Amino acid sequence: MNTLAEGSKEKLEQGRVVNDFSIQIATVNGSGSQSSNSVLMRSIFQMGIPVSGKNLFPSNIAGLPTWFTIRVNKDGYIARKAETEILIAMNPQTAIEDVKGLSSGAVCISPVELRLEAIRTDVLHYQVPFSELAAKASENMKLRKLLTNMLYVGIVAELLNIEHAQIENSIGKQFEGKTKAIDLNLNAVKIGREWAKENLKKQDPYSVEPMNKTQGKIIIDGNAATALGSLFAGVTVVTWYPITPSSSVCEQLIDYLKAHRVDKESGKASFAVIQAEDELAAIGMALGAGWAGARAMTSTSGPGISLMAEFTGYGYFTEIPVVIFDVQRVGPSTGLPTRTSQADLISAHTLSHGDTKHIVLLPGSVAECYEMAGEAFELAEKFQTPVFVLTDLDLGMNNWMSDPFAYPTKPISRGKVMTAEDINKAGTFERYRDVDGDGIPYRTLPGTDHPQAAYFTRGSGHNEKAGYSEKPEDYLYLMDRLERKYQTARNFVPVPAVSIDKDAKIGVIAFGSSDFAVQESRDQLKVANIATSYLRVKALPFTADLRKFVESHDHVYVVEQNRDAQMRDLIRLELPDMAMKIRSVKHYDGLPIDARFVTDAIMEQER
Amino acid sequence: MTAAPPTNRIGLSLNDYKGAPSTLCDGCGHDAITAQIIKAFYELGTEPHMVAKLSGIGCSSKTPAYFLNRSHGFNSVHGRMPSVATGVSMANHNLTMIGVSGDGDTASIGLGQFCHLVRRNVPMIYIVENNGVYGLTKGQFSATADLGSKAKSGVLNELPPIDLCGLAIELGCSFVGRSFAGDPKQLVALLKAAGSHRGTAVIDVISPCVTFNNHEGSTKSYKYAKEMETPLHELGYVPFFEQISVDYEPGSVQEVEMHDGSKIRLKKTERDYDPTDEINAVVTIKKAHANKEFLTGLLYINETKEDFITIMNVGDAPLATLPESVTRPPKSALDHIMAELM
């Protein structure tokens, strides 16, 4: 049941394509395809081949189109790739468009009744009687629908030569402990596999072969990594309001906390997670907790960030530690809630009215989501201020391959907190005095048993003793000290990752999840004889490394996923004398940026 | 030589519970409430450093600066004190929290947070200093102003009021009282009882604004409140550390025992009012509105409801004080999680 695409014969003759292609699975959301897609991805991963998975889904629970892409790449590139080599077109609603989007010679696996061969004759079609096979897999109509997804796993496994043992492993992992589900799903895979063996003649060049590039690696999504980082940072109060794409940070954190932070003897929790009534309350609770001495966090996305503006300014002005995770999605307004973006950079950095500047951490991998969550808590308490961690939907909700995370090496530090004994030793306590010249004052916690320990926290003007003041000199002292504190932070935030190519005249600057595409693009550019150096910003404020990097290149390209070139503008403000050297590559259609896009954009400007 | 001032059971004088001088208008009802807050904590013998005072924005919200100088204070943003209080309570449940808000801060901008605080039963004393107007912005009506109440400019209020006590009961509040800034005896008893309560204790105190809402035609003026106040009972409070037994005529006093062993004594007036009867409390409030009555006293109490700390199942030691050995799981935990992800 297959029709041969024009040109595919030649492709076959050119030889096989091993461990280097993308599979796109088009389904309807709510159809249960997620487990099948995970099984497929994990099976390839367990064969030692680098993979990455991306879920492109609608802001909807059931009935709308969804696409899952698995990129298989022997070189370890895990960014999105624009082209699809193998399409599994299971969704009748989008099948025609999906097939039209393929390049010539691509493979399309589809239900036979969709008759997709008529639409594209230059594509290699494998047509499968899914309904018939599903009937064999189960008598239950409802189950048949779910098992259809496992049928395509079997068919792809046969076509690509995925080891059956790995599929068995993955299914076991996916349906842990549920023997009945494991048996049903394994059986469906077998039915698919056997049907393909008997009925499909392999005519495409794609296949997998075992490698040893994933041994010891983990697969995890960025939100789970953020949750783990917070868990091991010793977070005690977590407040949140559900919002895509950040909900799974707190949902996964709740699971981890329940598993690891409940005292076995007393059954009591060493944490509190509060699902707030809205983001206004979520940040208010986190600030209250931070003020009273808890390690407090909240996590949200764009609209939540907007709602948190007033309290974030309060936290900055009154100097209260709190960590705010922003898993960015496409704005403005409701925007595209299930698509990815890096467009909250400036708004988070300067959130709230008046002169405000916040420390922002920018993880560029799941491992950094984990590490920077920990760093964010340390910085928030060291600097007594809200600290943002900006990830995005691509990093947060998609599955990524990574080295296992390292256990924290440094003990938890709570910053400049004075106890009653400290006050006795110092002889005095003034909440907002710059005792050490670094802009960071000392604080006390409520409950400190000392007649001088108490102070009054207020969002209105205040003097060194936390007394109400509208005096110009008090306001200037406070604002200039806050600025000094921010400047101090330059020496403590994570330094950028820099990779210098000594032949390079041009530099590339990126941050966050753009890293995957930029790394791959640099290799593509190198092939085109354009050598590049690379600096990946990991935090605001910038460190001194940025100036050095820009100075040592003819010009630099700032690659980012927003319309307004927000990072470029921040860099121009930081380095006004070199503003003209700073160019821009922007990707902002809601899909994760891909390497080819970056390469083309740079080559275009280099011409 | 002057005699040493009297002290309470922990050896502190009334002065030790005072704050900075008030900057509110002379005669403001809020200052009268502040004086009773100072008195209540002094008489309870609460350790000032174990109190956290919180507020939102407005004239009322300035007042935590005027009492308990030895307590940490948090003057938050407009209408958002409840969320801050919830966070503080989670971080350190050993603190006694007192929140002061106003009718604008609670019934308008902060209504949502007020509702959810009450719904969660976060343990704190929540005082609404209710004058029916926005004082700090010069006299606009608030959402608690009575229908037909007259503004200083002569404008009549055309919208019905939100009754915060009725709303609190509807939301499951476990302690609801209403009082008047001009009735210090009742107010101080209510405040002390609220301090013994484990859960959210809402006290709505009519607190006249002498500058913008104390004229003829206002239903929140001193004159109106004095004339109209009808106490539901004579309210007494006996703290756990005092053993006073007074003989009452049988059946004339209802006693409510609190968690800490303190007792509220309600001496009956001509009304026979049982504040543990939720339905009757709701009906009484509704009827009072219809009859234009100003009822004060303990409207509702339920000492059996679980507070938020209990629901959240945190241990005895406050979360804020937990050491790293408790808050950071061991390396073996991470190794185990990593192995599962391979």
Side-chain angles (χ1 to χ4, degrees):
Chain A
M1 288 233 198
N2 40 343
T3 47
L4 194 58
E6 289 167 28
S8 59
K9 215 168 187 176
E10 292 91 287
K11 210 161 190 176
L12 260 180
E13 279 158 13
Q14 279 161 21
R16 296 160 59 227
V17 180
V18 179
N19 297 346
D20 187 12
F21 52 84
S22 284
I23 307 170
Q24 187 173 60
I25 304 144
T27 51
V28 178
N29 86 320
S31 67
S33 56
Q34 217 165 352
S35 355
S36 305
N37 298 339
S38 300
V39 165
L40 194 53
M41 174 170 161
R42 186 163 269 286
S43 302
I44 300 170
F45 168 77
Q46 282 170 351
M47 286 178 70
I49 311 159
V51 281
S52 57
K54 283 194 199 303
N55 193 9
L56 186 67
F57 60 105
S59 181
N60 191 60
I61 295 302
L64 287 185
T66 175
W67 294 268
F68 190 81
T69 309
I70 299 170
R71 180 173 185 189
V72 181
N73 186 274
K74 59 185 188 315
D75 302 313
Y77 295 129
I78 51 179
R80 182 176 83 93
K81 188 162 75 77
E83 318 81 55
T84 297
E85 278 77 24
I86 300 166
L87 168 72
I88 306 175
M90 300 302 289
N91 183 0
Q93 286 176 56
T94 62
I96 293 175
E97 285 303 309
D98 290 339
V99 174
K100 279 185 181 166
L102 291 172
S103 32
S104 189
V107 176
C108 174
I109 300 167
S110 62
V112 63
E113 64 272 17
L114 292 184
R115 302 187 163 280
L116 294 179
E117 80 284 0
I119 296 159
R120 283 285 294 273
T121 51
D122 60 337
V123 163
L124 173 65
H125 291 276
Y126 294 117
Q127 290 165 313
V128 185
F130 278 106
S131 327
E132 239 173 77
L133 296 178
K136 277 193 211 166
S138 174
E139 284 176 2
N140 179 322
M141 290 302 281
K142 217 171 149 191
L143 275 178
R144 277 184 200 173
K145 211 174 129 190
L146 291 172
L147 291 172
T148 302
N149 300 315
M150 280 298 166
L151 290 172
Y152 68 65
V153 172
I155 287 158
V156 172
E158 179 60 25
L159 283 169
L160 296 180
N161 208 16
I162 299 171
E163 293 165 6
H164 188 66
Q166 299 307 347
I167 296 210
E168 270 182 6
N169 279 344
S170 306
I171 286 182
K173 203 151 190 159
Q174 185 73 30
F175 301 98
E176 214 175 332
K178 299 173 194 156
T179 334
K180 213 174 151 192
I182 293 175
D183 290 347
L184 264 172
N185 283 286
L186 263 180
N187 184 47
V189 171
K190 269 185 206 152
I191 293 173
R193 189 155 206 156
E194 273 157 27
W195 182 88
K197 196 183 278 177
E198 284 162 26
N199 299 284
L200 296 181
K201 194 172 159 228
K202 172 93 174 163
Q203 287 179 314
D204 65 87
Y206 305 108
S207 64
V208 293
E209 270 175 21
M211 297 178 78
N212 59 358
K213 283 197 171 177
T214 67
Q215 214 172 13
K217 305 253 184 199
I218 58 165
I219 289 186
I220 190 170
D221 62 82
N223 285 353
T226 296
L228 278 177
S230 307
L231 174 76
F232 286 94
V235 68
T236 47
V237 175
V238 181
T239 65
W240 67 298
Y241 185 74
I243 182 170
T244 304
S246 82
S247 300
S248 60
V249 171
C250 284
E251 283 169 337
Q252 299 186 85
L253 181 52
I254 290 169
D255 291 343
Y256 287 132
L257 285 167
K258 280 184 180 162
H260 299 282
R261 292 274 298 277
V262 176
D263 185 72
K264 288 209 172 71
E265 273 171 35
S266 66
K268 295 287 182 186
S270 65
F271 63 89
V273 183
I274 309 173
Q275 186 184 319
E277 56 269 33
D278 53 33
E279 288 90 344
L280 301 170
I283 182 70
M285 290 172 187
L287 276 178
W291 177 78
R295 276 216 147 167
M297 63 167 271
T298 181
S299 83
T300 188
S301 189
I305 289 294
S306 295
L307 285 171
M308 291 181 183
E310 187 184 13
F311 254 139
T312 305
Y314 185 98
Y316 172 80
F317 196 52
T318 61
E319 302 176 69
I320 300 175
V322 65
V323 176
I324 306 169
F325 293 98
D326 175 11
V327 186
Q328 296 169 97
R329 67 188 216 187
V330 173
S333 191
T334 305
L336 311 177
T338 61
R339 302 297 155 89
T340 196
S341 158
Q342 295 182 319
D344 292 350
L345 186 68
I346 287 180
S347 56
H349 182 43
T350 63
L351 194 67
S352 201
H353 56 275
D355 288 321
T356 52
K357 270 184 288 193
H358 308 292
I359 296 171
V360 179
L361 304 188
L362 302 163
S365 64
V366 286
E368 284 185 358
C369 287
Y370 168 79
E371 287 158 20
M372 286 191 188
E375 277 177 279
F377 285 101
E378 290 290 314
L379 288 167
E381 292 198 304
K382 183 178 181 67
F383 289 94
Q384 300 173 23
T385 196
V387 170
F388 282 92
V389 183
L390 259 58
T391 67
D392 58 40
L393 183 141
D394 185 26
L395 189 52
M397 288 192 75
N398 285 321
N399 283 313
W400 301 92
M401 202 175 75
S402 169
D403 285 325
F405 303 157
Y407 192 70
T409 50
K410 281 188 224 150
I412 290 171
S413 161
R414 309 300 308 269
K416 295 184 187 179
V417 177
M418 287 180 97
T419 60
E421 204 181 313
D422 294 334
I423 300 171
N424 280 335
K425 260 189 232 157
T428 179
F429 162 65
E430 287 170 307
R431 171 65 180 103
Y432 294 117
R433 208 170 115 81
D434 188 4
V435 178
D436 303 326
D438 55 4
I440 310 167
Y442 285 81
R443 66 177 185 136
T444 56
L445 303 181
T448 305
D449 190 3
H450 193 287
Q452 284 180 52
Y455 67 95
F456 197 79
T457 306
R458 44 164 60 87
S460 46
H462 42 270
N463 58 26
E464 287 172 283
K465 293 178 176 161
Y468 181 81
S469 173
E470 294 179 6
K471 286 183 189 159
E473 61 270 28
D474 285 339
Y475 181 75
L476 285 177
Y477 175 84
L478 171 56
M479 290 306 282
D480 292 344
R481 183 179 56 72
L482 287 172
E483 174 62 20
R484 195 153 60 242
K485 182 165 90 166
Y486 178 79
Q487 295 304 333
T488 303
R490 288 182 191 271
N491 304 316
F492 292 91
V493 295
V495 295
V498 181
S499 151
I500 299 288
D501 183 329
K502 55 182 182 356
D503 301 328
K505 288 201 174 78
I506 65 169
V508 179
I509 296 175
F511 68 98
S513 69
S514 303
D515 182 49
F516 308 109
V518 170
Q519 286 193 30
E520 186 176 350
S521 166
R522 288 182 68 211
D523 291 346
Q524 292 172 351
L525 287 164
K526 189 135 205 186
V527 173
N529 284 321
I530 301 175
T532 57
S533 294
Y534 179 33
L535 178 142
R536 181 165 59 83
V537 178
K538 288 191 189 178
L540 299 174
F542 296 114
T543 61
D545 313 73
L546 181 73
R547 171 169 287 278
K548 224 164 72 189
F549 182 82
V550 177
E551 265 171 359
S552 56
H553 292 93
D554 286 353
H555 51 268
V556 299
Y557 291 92
V558 181
V559 179
E560 56 194 309
Q561 301 179 63
N562 59 67
R563 184 194 67 181
D564 291 345
Q566 297 183 19
M567 179 60 89
R568 179 204 62 188
D569 284 358
L570 288 174
I571 293 174
R572 282 183 172 174
L573 284 171
E574 176 80 7
L575 310 170
D577 50 318
M578 293 190 280
M580 297 318 289
K581 286 173 70 167
I582 300 157
R583 302 180 183 180
S584 175
V585 173
K586 306 174 298 181
H587 186 278
Y588 52 95
D589 65 359
L591 297 175
I593 190 169
D594 64 283
R596 183 48 61 189
F597 177 89
V598 179
T599 304
D600 290 350
I602 291 177
M603 283 178 62
E604 172 84 25
Q605 295 184 61
E606 283 301 306
R607 218 179 273 158
Chain B
M1 210 177 121
T2 51
T7 55
N8 63 6
R9 68 184 174 110
I10 60 162
L12 296 180
S13 71
L14 191 68
N15 266 335
D16 295 321
Y17 290 86
K18 288 186 176 166
S22 167
T23 59
L24 298 173
C25 309
D26 280 345
C28 177
H30 299 356
D31 285 338
I33 300 170
T34 295
Q36 296 318 309
I37 293 172
I38 292 168
K39 198 168 169 219
F41 279 110
Y42 167 72
E43 289 180 357
L44 284 171
T46 310
E47 293 191 276
H49 76 273
M50 290 310 290
V51 178
K53 347 170 253 186
L54 302 103
S55 62
I57 292 288
C59 292
S60 58
S61 292
K62 287 170 172 255
T63 65
Y66 315 144
F67 60 82
L68 294 178
N69 248 355
R70 291 195 190 180
S71 306
H72 276 70
F74 197 121
N75 177 205
S76 74
V77 300
H78 201 10
R80 253 55 73 65
M81 175 254 281
S83 62
V84 173
T86 307
V88 173
S89 160
M90 278 301 117
N92 190 344
H93 54 77
N94 287 345
L95 297 169
T96 297
M97 290 197 299
I98 176 165
V100 183
S101 179
D103 38 307
D105 197 59
T106 291
S108 289
I109 189 167
L111 191 62
Q113 294 216 341
F114 171 73
C115 291
H116 288 275
L117 176 91
V118 167
R119 177 175 169 253
R120 292 191 179 97
N121 205 22
V122 174
M124 74 178 298
I125 307 166
Y126 190 103
I127 300 166
V128 183
E129 300 186 343
N130 185 350
N131 55 21
V133 288
Y134 288 86
L136 214 49
T137 51
K138 304 198 171 179
Q140 299 84 357
F141 280 124
S142 84
T144 63
D146 287 311
L147 188 65
S149 173
K150 199 200 268 179
K152 205 176 178 186
S153 61
V155 178
L156 291 183
N157 181 36
E158 292 173 335
L159 291 173
I162 292 173
D163 188 309
L164 291 169
C165 291
L167 179 64
I169 295 171
E170 168 63 31
L171 293 164
C173 190
S174 50
F175 185 113
V176 182
R178 175 166 281 146
S179 194
F180 169 43
D183 187 352
K185 205 173 148 227
Q186 185 197 55
L187 180 56
V188 78
L190 261 181
L191 284 168
K192 286 195 276 185
S196 292
H197 180 65
R198 206 155 71 188
T200 311
V202 172
I203 308 176
D204 179 34
V205 190
I206 303 306
S207 175
C209 172
V210 290
T211 306
F212 295 107
N213 206 11
N214 201 30
H215 45 268
E216 201 63 37
S218 158
T219 58
K220 300 268 193 292
S221 66
Y222 273 116
K223 187 165 174 274
Y224 183 90
K226 260 183 199 151
E227 282 172 14
M228 300 296 289
E229 188 195 1
T230 313
L232 288 163
H233 33 230
E234 205 182 301
L235 196 75
Y237 171 82
V238 184
F240 66 90
F241 53 86
E242 272 175 29
Q243 290 296 328
I244 304 171
S245 61
V246 186
D247 288 330
Y248 289 104
E249 235 176 87
S252 69
V253 167
Q254 183 181 359
E255 221 172 53
V256 182
E257 179 145 359
M258 319 279 296
H259 279 289
D260 63 359
S262 303
K263 290 184 182 83
I264 300 174
R265 282 196 176 138
L266 304 161
K267 198 175 164 198
K268 283 175 192 167
T269 55
E270 52 269 40
R271 266 172 211 269
D272 191 5
Y273 187 78
D274 175 8
T276 62
D277 182 343
E278 185 177 354
I279 306 293
N280 183 49
V282 174
V283 172
T284 304
I285 290 171
K286 289 260 177 206
K287 279 188 181 162
H289 275 290
N291 302 333
K292 294 197 159 53
E293 285 176 314
F294 172 36
L295 298 180
T296 61
L298 181 64
L299 289 163
Y300 180 63
I301 186 164
N302 174 2
E303 281 292 284
T304 62
K305 198 177 171 188
E306 278 194 334
D307 72 351
F308 197 48
I309 305 297
T310 313
I311 293 166
M312 295 303 282
N313 190 37
V314 292
D316 293 338
L319 294 180
T321 63
L322 296 179
E324 183 173 332
S325 56
V326 175
T327 62
R328 174 175 281 169
K331 184 171 181 296
S332 57
L334 182 68
D335 292 344
H336 176 76
I337 294 167
M338 289 299 111
E340 286 203 321
L341 294 166
M342 279 178 192

